[in-house]
Amino acid sequence: MNWYETVFELIDMRSFSNLWFWIALAVLWSSTSHWVLGVPWDMVTRARKAERTGEDDQSVIDLHDMVRINTNRILYIMRESGLLASGFACFILTATFMLGFYYRIEFAQAVFLLAMPMSLVALLSFWSARKIRLREMQGALLYRQMHRHRLVTQVIGMVSIFITAMWGMLQNMTLGVLGG
């Protein structure tokens, strides 16, 4: 096997049989559940602990500042370009769905199975940011909302990984039976 064949075998466009796709899927959902509204989860737990014990007020202030900055940013983006971004996202999702499942392009299937659940997380982030801003959440109420947001994100991730794994196995078995 020469160098050219080795490189193209390593970056094979058959996504579901490629180790890199599964690594990307794991990293995507790991980082998505760690960053809640753009705030690292360890920052939320540190602030919650600090507020409960009455020590290290700076971590509570830092968390509230980060949440305020990120919710303002999310709401600003949605206010200024939300309609355009939504239309573009719907176009991309529809195009990848059609390419993947109607025209049977495996790479498009993989992109759709990554992008569709992430669009749900984006919607969830907008709703959470809006709720935090409208109710001016602070303290325990804010921690509860952040925890709820993370939990729903993790559920979306688990369902997404399950569906992707089942579809990937079906694709690999089908292509294995048909001979490539």
Side-chain angles (χ1 to χ4, degrees):
M1 188 183 295
N2 64 23
W3 181 82
Y4 182 78
E5 289 174 0
T6 305
V7 169
F8 278 98
E9 186 175 307
L10 183 65
I11 53 174
D12 184 13
M13 291 300 273
R14 285 199 46 235
S15 303
F16 299 115
S17 63
N18 194 327
L19 178 63
W20 294 109
F21 172 75
W22 298 105
I23 291 171
L25 180 71
V27 168
L28 174 77
W29 285 109
S30 173
S31 59
T32 300
S33 75
H34 177 70
W35 292 88
V36 180
L37 294 175
V39 179
W41 183 248
D42 61 293
M43 193 175 200
V44 176
T45 56
R46 196 170 346 136
R48 183 188 306 165
K49 181 182 174 191
E51 192 167 290
R52 230 181 298 136
T53 60
E55 50 187 64
D56 191 23
D57 287 335
Q58 189 60 45
S59 62
V60 175
I61 294 167
D62 291 346
L63 173 73
H64 284 84
D65 287 343
M66 283 281 287
V67 170
R68 180 184 48 79
I69 289 166
N70 286 326
T71 55
N72 286 343
R73 191 177 129 263
I74 290 167
L75 294 173
Y76 173 78
I77 290 169
M78 290 306 289
R79 186 175 53 251
E80 293 299 316
S81 61
L83 187 59
L84 185 64
S86 297
F88 184 70
C90 289
F91 169 75
I92 294 297
L93 288 172
T94 302
T96 56
F97 180 82
M98 291 300 293
L99 286 170
F101 297 100
Y102 184 75
Y103 291 107
R104 300 205 177 271
I105 298 172
E106 188 173 321
F107 183 73
Q109 292 172 1
V111 170
F112 179 80
L113 290 170
L114 292 173
M116 181 59 199
M118 288 308 293
S119 66
L120 296 177
V121 172
L123 271 174
L124 178 66
S125 295
F126 169 66
W127 288 332
S128 291
R130 189 168 177 266
K131 187 175 181 180
I132 288 169
R133 167 71 85 64
L134 288 176
R135 296 186 183 171
E136 298 177 358
M137 293 183 182
Q138 302 241 332
L141 194 58
L142 176 64
Y143 306 142
R144 220 179 352 262
Q145 178 61 34
M146 298 288 279
H147 182 265
R148 194 174 304 122
H149 178 91
R150 184 172 192 239
L151 186 65
V152 173
T153 299
Q154 288 175 330
V155 168
I156 292 170
M158 286 187 300
V159 171
S160 170
I161 290 169
F162 178 76
I163 290 170
T164 303
M166 292 298 113
W167 184 257
M169 283 190 287
L170 178 67
Q171 292 297 92
N172 288 335
M173 288 188 311
T174 303
L175 288 173
V177 169
L178 296 177

